[in-house]
Amino acid sequence: MAQPAIRVGILGATGAVGQTFVRRLANHPWFSIAALAASERSAGKSYRDAANWLSSRPMPEAVADMEVVPCTPDAVDADLVFSGLDSSVAGEIEADFAEAGFPVISNAKNYRMAPDVPLLIPEINPEHAALIDEQTWSGGGFIVTNPNCSTVGLVCALRPLVEAFTVEAVQVTMLQALSGAGYPGVASLDALGNVVPYIGGEEEKLDEEPRKILGTYADGAIQEADLAVSAQCNRVPVRNGHLACASVRFSDAIGPDAVEDAFRTYESPVDVSALPSAPERLVVVDNAPDAPQPRKHVYAGDGMTVTVGRIQACTVNHVKFVALSHNTIRGAAGGAILNAEQLVHEGRITPAVA
Amino acid sequence: MAQPAIRVGILGATGAVGQTFVRRLANHPWFSIAALAASERSAGKSYRDAANWLSSRPMPEAVADMEVVPCTPDAVDADLVFSGLDSSVAGEIEADFAEAGFPVISNAKNYRMAPDVPLLIPEINPEHAALIDEQTWSGGGFIVTNPNCSTVGLVCALRPLVEAFTVEAVQVTMLQALSGAGYPGVASLDALGNVVPYIGGEEEKLDEEPRKILGTYADGAIQEADLAVSAQCNRVPVRNGHLACASVRFSDAIGPDAVEDAFRTYESPVDVSALPSAPERLVVVDNAPDAPQPRKHVYAGDGMTVTVGRIQACTVNHVKFVALSHNTIRGAAGGAILNAEQLVHEGRITPAVA
Amino acid sequence: MAQPAIRVGILGATGAVGQTFVRRLANHPWFSIAALAASERSAGKSYRDAANWLSSRPMPEAVADMEVVPCTPDAVDADLVFSGLDSSVAGEIEADFAEAGFPVISNAKNYRMAPDVPLLIPEINPEHAALIDEQTWSGGGFIVTNPNCSTVGLVCALRPLVEAFTVEAVQVTMLQALSGAGYPGVASLDALGNVVPYIGGEEEKLDEEPRKILGTYADGAIQEADLAVSAQCNRVPVRNGHLACASVRFSDAIGPDAVEDAFRTYESPVDVSALPSAPERLVVVDNAPDAPQPRKHVYAGDGMTVTVGRIQACTVNHVKFVALSHNTIRGAAGGAILNAEQLVHEGRITPAVA
Amino acid sequence: MAQPAIRVGILGATGAVGQTFVRRLANHPWFSIAALAASERSAGKSYRDAANWLSSRPMPEAVADMEVVPCTPDAVDADLVFSGLDSSVAGEIEADFAEAGFPVISNAKNYRMAPDVPLLIPEINPEHAALIDEQTWSGGGFIVTNPNCSTVGLVCALRPLVEAFTVEAVQVTMLQALSGAGYPGVASLDALGNVVPYIGGEEEKLDEEPRKILGTYADGAIQEADLAVSAQCNRVPVRNGHLACASVRFSDAIGPDAVEDAFRTYESPVDVSALPSAPERLVVVDNAPDAPQPRKHVYAGDGMTVTVGRIQACTVNHVKFVALSHNTIRGAAGGAILNAEQLVHEGRITPAVA
């Protein structure tokens, strides 16, 4: 299907998440980067000068000389905006863009739990996009969010289980990568050869976001899933890749084979072949005894697939396993881009008429 | 109390655990190193030449020029032996020494679960030492073991809870240090910036060892504790310090304050002031939001105290917390030396008459 | 130019270098993998089972089910072989293949300094390929080598300077990545948070290889360049990327601007656009104050370009700079593949007639 | 010799250097901590609350409850002050204290190159202390400094060579630890698995400080040594320990044996046995092929001894070697404390009469 070009802006384009948006949008088949917006401090500079480029791959030539504009609707000429803004400013700025009529595809936490804002993962809850119709921004824009980077890996792994069985409770210990804290983020003296068993606000998000994501849409609202998640979040000296050591209690005595089978047979409710960023499989199982590992598996499905391994019977709950997701791709920019693709595919975002 | 000098041998003295024995015994008030025993390959060399010294502190001068002897009873002249042997050889060699009349204070796994061998932590189960009387080695020696390095931190944290409440089940995710794998151990390409969610045999030990350690001695046998432990073990790029993210289910609805109180008020059944290696407290609580961390807390109590933090209510079980222990001190050589001290204190080990 | 398919074998295919050959040949426009050869222990297994896959990108599907064959000429049906063999066995096996008529494109050190074996970098000394004509293997094969991974970055940076000026001496300190030691290579306890100021044999190679590479071909022999290189080699906890801190003494008082100009204007003697693995530029200059860094620049030119930065006047010699190269790509498999491409392009390697 | 207690204040007590002062002064035989001074933000808090304690060893109990005071002479009651202040504020505050009559033993860079301020290392240039007599602060105080943490290891290694031979030039590549950048210092995303070949201002200090330190005192001034040092400074992911890969050119053809002999026979001009923090040896030689390493040798002489290894002939200059020093001990707080000890020993600092 030939797709009309959609012109996109990136809010917070110089930050760590913004840079990941830039990298993944540089050669996107549907989207072209039309505006790079950042704080007043960066506005007016070339992107090359404004951004402290963090990736090991070079900055895409096409954006290096673009001029950074301020994060105001007037300054951004685009069909939609991606927001990689810090939560300290995202609330107001994203509202400004929605008021001004923009579709705002946000990675920030500010609106995730708002009752009329989808917390969207296309392969899991595409029907939640209907919440957009409940939003009442004056200019006709809307906001759609993706989950926190630590939530997303777990919830992708839980989705097949929730569909196949009744999940009652999940105990999870997260081993989270440094890039999840942005830049400069964690001090090297705290990170090198150390584990910090605390990430502010993260355990709370792991408790509440899955219930919304896995909830049921009806009549303009989400009925949250009845599911307890208790998390312990640790920062480990890994660059990319959040690892979830999870143990699940079901309503019945489900065993590891049934769980593996559920992972292997899960079918996404959307046609992933129509979405450029969607991986072939949301979840893959790797039965190697030492899988999944951040270094070896984090780029599965180009960073969009969650790798599950070490599926075992649990003597406390029913089944335990380890799930790995790429925190800045599936867990941030990649997830947001996939959300935008799904909204385009559904017809909720269209290119402006010239 | 003036203590007569006890002459000790170290089996496997050149390995990683053996070196920790050497470091901690070099200035011990009761024990003096009388023999360094290792494989045939090392025997006959000076310790300086035979050992690839791993510590950041220099090799104690007193041992550098000692000649390494073979691991045979004939070659070792000592009142007791510490065993830092690899499990592939420990079974036979330790038996040889016990047969030859030596008290064998072992860090190896081979005899830990044998019904007549104490799996000893003096501050937890000193009465288990009575199992020694059940051993029937021809020469009158005996074997006493300490727990696996991943078990020990968890079980020290559980002991106060088991005493105060009825613990039904424990879900635990371990973040284990590289030194737990010995030397050369984990390849740097596997360790650097990575997590490996698998350590062979470790999850099984975390299931069975706590039940024995926390069990009840009666009539020459241990009645195992009725307690399920389900573990997920990860190797993280940390040098020293195993971190346990644990969640505990009690028979009643116990909350975090009661758990913290149990940690703070636990009293060891032995008089720790009489044992040189015993820390003042088996467990300390640190309520800093980001405690405990390997880098900051692993040397609490000179590596013999377990630091507990992040005590919180758990929505799946009852209470969750994080416990940190030093895997090569409390979890290996330090724990074994403390066992020997307790056995000397009890009169089960005495210096040979000259 | 349509290129006939060249069928290649990989000797030592399961090792670290062999795996890099596999990754870079999997989608090569000229070469197709026809044989994966390894030790007797691996022979007969599928490549998936035989290789402990080290990369963070998945094993190419096309090779996963290929059967590994022994490293003998009879077992390998191919137009040329790449050798990623360990030097302990490369000497004999590579000779066997040359005797049997194979072009052997080797990454091993064994024949690098042999007078009739080219130590080849196409952008530097393509005329050295003529040494092949001096080789006298009975079956008509030949051996071509690429430099040691620590030599290559330095020598690529020196080549423009040798062309433009008279280089008398080079003082260099190498900061070398862990992957240069293969797998399992450096123990994590030696690597994590540490520097090891010693890599066996490496300082010697940095002294002798540049003189041959930068030497002059005439009448079937290489006249070595008159150039002293004194190196100090360190292993640092970096995954990929060797960093050379070099200081150069010229015959005249050359300054940093002239040096930068030489780097920027250097033109390769071969048409790099004809060679699929050749980067656009052998050397690029990055004037950012903190460039080059392994994490940010190691993939320049898809791992085939050397990045130079921090070009400054030196008060002891004349000019100092820092050069970064990818040790397993430009410094190993990528360099060897480029050599093969150049030999194909020159007509020294042709597909066997069917 | 019974030493009267000297009451000391620490300026910048909550910072990284200040914390090292606290740790090393907590049990000092001569000095007792009388005042902990820091910024207005910390003043009034207990030290426990004001300092983000960085060490792996617990905060000394004796200081935990001390109240932090402001960095003003009025607020500090002490016989001398140690300054761990950041250079952005050290210039003014240290001058205030000197004007108020305090001996100021500073680790900051601000006054190091001032003609009348000693840049002191007791085992190298104790006679430079006479510069104090040239200082003219109104209240009769004075300032004494110690070198930059990267200079100190190199200059300690050079001192024996300068005494024994004529050193003309030194080429050095530094591999510097993260703790040298203070806290939070280097971002973990820049440090983990990376090298940054740039440390602002460091290469310049390595050029100028050695010439002053190794210079000759006469008639109230220092005649700088005639010695070129050209440095390239890199940040490596090591916690503590700066490694200097140095190559030295002498006026004559000196070889490695003579250099090793000079290291081994160097005698300090002061009686180190009289100074509590002075190690037995300023420099030790370790001939192990892979020495010195940060992890293994950084605590030589309790962090005050420089370890030299890999002494080899250099084909560009004359002799090359590797020197390791502890950057926060010998290179900062430990060096400053040793300076104070020497000044007390000389009678330049005395306890105030009660």
Side-chain angles (χ1 to χ4, degrees):
Chain A
M1 175 181 74
Q3 193 70 31
I6 310 264
R7 303 171 66 252
V8 305
I10 300 171
L11 310 182
T14 56
V17 175
Q19 292 188 22
T20 310
F21 275 118
V22 167
R23 283 193 290 121
R24 294 187 75 88
L25 290 168
N27 295 300
H28 195 279
W30 296 359
F31 301 134
S32 68
I33 300 177
L36 299 169
S39 67
E40 289 297 331
R41 204 182 56 244
S42 296
K45 297 183 185 170
S46 72
Y47 188 64
R48 188 195 313 276
D49 292 341
N52 173 18
W53 190 248
L54 300 170
S55 170
S56 64
R57 302 283 170 167
M59 181 183 285
E61 277 303 315
V63 299
D65 294 319
M66 284 181 67
E67 183 182 320
V68 175
V69 298
C71 277
T72 56
D74 285 354
V76 172
D77 177 16
D79 299 320
L80 70 90
V81 291
F82 290 105
S83 166
L85 293 167
D86 187 80
S87 60
S88 61
V89 297
E92 197 168 337
I93 296 177
E94 294 181 1
D96 289 347
F97 277 83
E99 290 282 1
F102 285 87
V104 178
I105 313 299
S106 173
N107 181 61
K109 71 177 178 190
N110 307 58
Y111 294 98
R112 280 187 198 136
M113 298 304 294
D116 58 359
V117 171
L119 186 48
L120 193 67
I121 298 176
E123 297 103 320
I124 291 183
N125 61 4
E127 71 281 7
H128 288 204
L131 283 182
I132 291 170
D133 301 331
E134 309 301 315
Q135 297 184 29
T136 57
W137 306 98
S138 61
F142 60 82
I143 297 176
V144 168
T145 63
N146 55 281
N148 182 263
C149 60
S150 59
T151 304
V152 72
L154 179 67
V155 85
C156 289
L158 290 179
R159 181 65 186 86
L161 308 186
V162 165
E163 183 175 88
F165 318 110
T166 301
V167 172
E168 288 184 350
V170 182
Q171 186 81 33
V172 64
T173 298
M174 299 297 305
L175 286 72
Q176 299 186 218
L178 298 169
S179 60
Y183 185 85
V186 185
S188 56
L189 289 174
D190 287 334
L192 187 79
N194 197 27
V195 172
V196 180
Y198 174 69
I199 304 175
E202 211 83 343
E203 296 174 353
E204 293 76 3
K205 290 176 204 159
L206 270 154
D207 184 31
E208 68 185 10
E209 292 187 6
R211 284 202 299 270
K212 177 170 180 182
I213 298 165
L214 299 171
T216 308
Y217 172 85
D219 300 328
I222 303 298
Q223 173 72 35
E224 290 199 353
D226 182 15
L227 176 73
V229 178
S230 177
Q232 292 176 290
C233 293
N234 301 278
R235 190 71 72 190
V236 294
V238 164
R239 190 168 293 278
N240 293 310
H242 286 0
L243 203 75
C245 295
S247 169
V248 179
R249 190 170 77 224
F250 299 96
S251 61
D252 297 298
I254 304 299
D257 290 348
V259 162
E260 179 171 344
D261 193 57
F263 287 136
R264 292 196 184 275
T265 60
Y266 179 70
E267 290 297 334
S268 164
V270 295
D271 175 11
V272 293
S273 69
L275 306 177
S277 296
E280 203 176 324
R281 300 288 306 162
L282 177 65
V283 175
V284 296
V285 174
D286 189 323
N287 281 329
D290 58 355
Q293 295 177 27
R295 200 179 72 69
K296 292 195 174 177
H297 305 97
V298 76
Y299 287 103
D302 196 28
M304 291 295 285
T305 288
V306 174
T307 304
V308 173
R310 300 201 57 67
I311 307 171
Q312 303 178 78
C314 175
T315 54
V316 172
N317 295 303
H318 289 105
V319 175
K320 54 191 175 185
F321 59 83
V322 177
L324 174 74
S325 59
H326 195 302
N327 54 297
T328 69
I329 301 179
R330 172 58 83 170
I337 293 170
L338 179 58
N339 282 349
E341 292 169 1
Q342 169 66 12
L343 297 172
V344 168
H345 185 65
E346 271 188 55
R348 289 185 179 272
I349 297 177
T350 50
V353 177
Chain B
M1 177 182 71
Q3 192 71 31
I6 310 264
R7 301 171 67 250
V8 305
I10 301 170
L11 310 182
T14 57
V17 175
Q19 292 188 21
T20 310
F21 276 119
V22 167
R23 284 193 290 122
R24 293 188 74 88
L25 290 168
N27 296 298
H28 195 279
W30 297 359
F31 301 134
S32 68
I33 300 177
L36 299 169
S39 68
E40 288 298 330
R41 203 181 57 243
S42 296
K45 296 183 186 172
S46 71
Y47 188 65
R48 189 194 313 277
D49 291 341
N52 173 18
W53 189 249
L54 300 171
S55 170
S56 64
R57 303 284 170 165
M59 181 183 285
E61 277 304 316
V63 299
D65 294 319
M66 284 182 69
E67 184 182 319
V68 175
V69 299
C71 279
T72 56
D74 286 353
V76 171
D77 178 16
D79 300 321
L80 71 89
V81 291
F82 289 105
S83 166
L85 292 168
D86 188 80
S87 61
S88 62
V89 297
E92 197 168 337
I93 295 177
E94 294 181 0
D96 289 348
F97 276 83
E99 289 282 0
F102 285 87
V104 179
I105 313 300
S106 173
N107 182 61
K109 72 177 178 189
N110 306 58
Y111 294 99
R112 278 187 199 138
M113 298 305 294
D116 58 359
V117 171
L119 187 48
L120 193 67
I121 298 176
E123 297 104 319
I124 291 183
N125 61 4
E127 71 282 7
H128 288 206
L131 282 182
I132 290 171
D133 300 331
E134 311 301 315
Q135 296 185 28
T136 57
W137 306 99
S138 62
F142 60 81
I143 296 176
V144 168
T145 63
N146 55 281
N148 183 264
C149 60
S150 60
T151 304
V152 72
L154 180 66
V155 84
C156 289
L158 290 179
R159 180 67 185 85
L161 307 186
V162 165
E163 183 174 88
F165 319 110
T166 300
V167 173
E168 288 185 350
V170 182
Q171 186 80 35
V172 64
T173 298
M174 299 296 306
L175 285 73
Q176 299 186 219
L178 299 168
S179 60
Y183 185 87
V186 184
S188 55
L189 290 173
D190 287 334
L192 188 78
N194 197 26
V195 172
V196 180
Y198 174 69
I199 304 175
E202 211 82 343
E203 296 174 353
E204 293 76 3
K205 290 176 203 161
L206 270 155
D207 185 31
E208 68 185 9
E209 293 187 5
R211 286 202 298 269
K212 178 170 180 182
I213 297 165
L214 298 171
T216 308
Y217 172 84
D219 301 328
I222 303 297
Q223 172 71 35
E224 289 200 352
D226 181 17
L227 177 72
V229 178
S230 176
Q232 291 176 289
C233 293
N234 301 278
R235 190 71 72 192
V236 293
V238 164
R239 191 168 293 277
N240 292 309
H242 285 1
L243 203 75
C245 296
S247 169
V248 179
R249 191 170 75 225
F250 300 95
S251 61
D252 298 298
I254 304 299
D257 291 347
V259 163
E260 178 172 343
D261 194 56
F263 287 136
R264 291 196 184 275
T265 59
Y266 178 70
E267 292 297 334
S268 164
V270 295
D271 175 11
V272 293
S273 69
L275 306 178
S277 296
E280 202 177 325
R281 301 288 306 161
L282 178 66
V283 175
V284 296
V285 174
D286 189 321
N287 281 329
D290 58 356
Q293 296 176 27
R295 200 178 73 68
K296 292 195 174 179
H297 304 97
V298 76
Y299 286 105
D302 197 26
M304 292 293 287
T305 289
V306 174
T307 303
V308 172
R310 299 201 57 67
I311 307 172
Q312 303 179 78
C314 175
T315 54
V316 173
N317 295 302
H318 289 105
V319 175
K320 55 190 175 184
F321 58 83
V322 176
L324 173 75
S325 59
H326 195 303
N327 54 298
T328 69
I329 299 180
R330 172 59 82 169
I337 293 171
L338 179 58
N339 282 350
E341 291 169 3
Q342 169 65 11
L343 297 172
V344 168
H345 185 65
E346 271 188 55
R348 290 185 178 273
I349 298 177
T350 51
V353 178
Chain C
M1 175 182 73
Q3 193 71 31
I6 311 265
R7 301 172 65 251
V8 306
I10 301 170
L11 310 182
T14 57
V17 175
Q19 292 187 22
T20 310
F21 276 118
V22 167
R23 282 192 290 123
R24 293 187 76 87
L25 290 168
N27 295 299
H28 195 278
W30 295 0
F31 302 134
S32 68
I33 300 176
L36 299 168
S39 66
E40 288 297 331
R41 203 181 57 242
S42 296
K45 296 182 186 172
S46 71
Y47 187 65
R48 188 195 312 275
D49 291 341
N52 173 18
W53 189 249
L54 299 171
S55 170
S56 64
R57 302 284 171 166
M59 181 182 285
E61 277 304 315
V63 298
D65 294 320
M66 284 181 68
E67 183 182 321
V68 176
V69 298
C71 277
T72 56
D74 285 355
V76 171
D77 178 16
D79 300 319
L80 71 89
V81 290
F82 290 105
S83 166
L85 292 167
D86 188 80
S87 60
S88 61
V89 297
E92 197 168 336
I93 295 177
E94 294 181 1
D96 289 348
F97 276 83
E99 288 282 2
F102 285 87
V104 179
I105 314 300
S106 173
N107 182 60
K109 71 177 178 190
N110 306 60
Y111 294 99
R112 280 186 199 139
M113 297 305 294
D116 59 358
V117 171
L119 186 49
L120 193 67
I121 299 176
E123 297 104 318
I124 291 183
N125 61 4
E127 71 281 8
H128 288 205
L131 283 182
I132 290 171
D133 300 331
E134 310 301 317
Q135 297 184 28
T136 58
W137 306 98
S138 61
F142 59 82
I143 297 176
V144 168
T145 63
N146 56 281
N148 182 264
C149 61
S150 58
T151 304
V152 74
L154 180 67
V155 85
C156 289
L158 290 179
R159 180 66 186 86
L161 307 185
V162 164
E163 183 174 88
F165 319 109
T166 301
V167 173
E168 288 185 351
V170 182
Q171 186 81 33
V172 64
T173 299
M174 299 296 306
L175 286 74
Q176 299 186 218
L178 299 169
S179 59
Y183 185 86
V186 184
S188 56
L189 289 174
D190 288 334
L192 188 78
N194 197 25
V195 172
V196 180
Y198 174 68
I199 304 174
E202 211 82 343
E203 296 174 353
E204 294 76 3
K205 290 176 204 160
L206 269 155
D207 185 30
E208 67 184 12
E209 292 186 6
R211 285 202 298 269
K212 177 169 180 182
I213 298 165
L214 298 171
T216 308
Y217 172 84
D219 300 328
I222 303 297
Q223 172 72 34
E224 289 199 351
D226 181 16
L227 177 73
V229 178
S230 178
Q232 293 176 288
C233 293
N234 301 278
R235 190 71 72 191
V236 293
V238 164
R239 190 167 294 278
N240 291 310
H242 286 0
L243 203 75
C245 296
S247 168
V248 179
R249 190 170 76 224
F250 299 96
S251 62
D252 297 299
I254 305 298
D257 290 348
V259 163
E260 178 171 344
D261 194 55
F263 287 137
R264 291 196 184 275
T265 59
Y266 179 70
E267 291 296 335
S268 164
V270 296
D271 175 10
V272 294
S273 70
L275 306 178
S277 297
E280 202 177 325
R281 300 288 306 161
L282 177 64
V283 175
V284 297
V285 174
D286 189 323
N287 282 327
D290 58 356
Q293 295 176 27
R295 199 178 73 68
K296 291 196 175 178
H297 304 97
V298 77
Y299 286 104
D302 197 27
M304 291 294 284
T305 288
V306 174
T307 303
V308 173
R310 299 202 56 68
I311 307 172
Q312 303 178 78
C314 175
T315 54
V316 172
N317 294 303
H318 289 105
V319 175
K320 54 191 175 185
F321 58 82
V322 177
L324 173 75
S325 59
H326 196 302
N327 54 297
T328 69
I329 300 178
R330 172 58 82 168
I337 293 170
L338 179 58
N339 282 349
E341 291 169 3
Q342 169 65 10
L343 297 172
V344 168
H345 185 64
E346 270 188 56
R348 290 185 178 272
I349 297 177
T350 51
V353 176
Chain D
M1 176 181 72
Q3 193 70 32
I6 310 263
R7 303 171 66 251
V8 306
I10 301 171
L11 310 183
T14 56
V17 175
Q19 293 188 22
T20 311
F21 276 120
V22 167
R23 284 193 289 122
R24 294 187 75 86
L25 290 167
N27 296 299
H28 196 279
W30 296 0
F31 301 134
S32 67
I33 299 177
L36 299 169
S39 68
E40 288 298 331
R41 205 181 54 244
S42 295
K45 296 183 186 170
S46 71
Y47 188 64
R48 188 195 312 277
D49 291 341
N52 174 16
W53 190 248
L54 300 170
S55 170
S56 64
R57 302 282 171 167
M59 181 182 286
E61 277 302 315
V63 299
D65 293 321
M66 283 181 69
E67 184 182 320
V68 175
V69 298
C71 277
T72 56
D74 285 354
V76 172
D77 178 16
D79 299 321
L80 71 88
V81 290
F82 290 105
S83 166
L85 293 167
D86 188 80
S87 60
S88 61
V89 296
E92 197 168 337
I93 295 176
E94 294 181 0
D96 289 347
F97 276 83
E99 289 281 1
F102 285 88
V104 178
I105 313 300
S106 172
N107 181 60
K109 71 177 177 189
N110 307 60
Y111 294 99
R112 279 186 199 139
M113 298 305 293
D116 58 358
V117 171
L119 187 47
L120 193 68
I121 299 176
E123 298 103 321
I124 290 183
N125 61 4
E127 71 282 7
H128 288 205
L131 282 182
I132 290 171
D133 301 332
E134 310 300 317
Q135 296 185 28
T136 57
W137 307 98
S138 61
F142 61 81
I143 297 175
V144 168
T145 62
N146 54 281
N148 183 263
C149 61
S150 59
T151 304
V152 73
L154 180 66
V155 85
C156 289
L158 289 179
R159 181 64 187 85
L161 308 185
V162 165
E163 183 175 87
F165 318 110
T166 300
V167 173
E168 288 184 351
V170 182
Q171 186 81 34
V172 64
T173 299
M174 298 297 306
L175 286 72
Q176 300 186 217
L178 299 169
S179 59
Y183 184 86
V186 184
S188 56
L189 289 173
D190 288 334
L192 188 78
N194 197 26
V195 172
V196 180
Y198 174 69
I199 305 175
E202 211 83 343
E203 295 174 354
E204 294 76 3
K205 290 175 204 159
L206 269 154
D207 185 29
E208 66 184 12
E209 293 187 5
R211 285 202 299 270
K212 177 170 180 182
I213 297 165
L214 298 171
T216 307
Y217 172 85
D219 300 329
I222 303 298
Q223 173 71 35
E224 290 200 351
D226 181 15
L227 177 73
V229 178
S230 178
Q232 291 176 290
C233 294
N234 301 278
R235 190 72 71 191
V236 294
V238 163
R239 191 168 292 279
N240 292 309
H242 286 1
L243 203 75
C245 295
S247 169
V248 178
R249 189 171 77 225
F250 299 96
S251 61
D252 297 298
I254 305 299
D257 291 347
V259 162
E260 178 171 344
D261 194 56
F263 287 137
R264 291 197 184 274
T265 59
Y266 179 70
E267 291 296 335
S268 165
V270 295
D271 175 10
V272 294
S273 69
L275 306 178
S277 296
E280 203 177 324
R281 300 287 305 161
L282 178 65
V283 175
V284 297
V285 174
D286 189 323
N287 281 328
D290 58 355
Q293 295 176 26
R295 201 179 72 68
K296 292 195 174 179
H297 304 98
V298 77
Y299 286 103
D302 196 26
M304 291 293 286
T305 288
V306 174
T307 304
V308 172
R310 299 202 56 69
I311 307 172
Q312 303 179 78
C314 175
T315 54
V316 173
N317 295 302
H318 290 106
V319 175
K320 55 191 175 185
F321 58 83
V322 177
L324 173 75
S325 59
H326 195 303
N327 54 298
T328 69
I329 300 179
R330 171 59 82 170
I337 293 170
L338 179 58
N339 282 350
E341 291 170 3
Q342 170 64 12
L343 296 172
V344 168
H345 185 65
E346 271 188 55
R348 290 184 178 273
I349 297 178
T350 51
V353 178

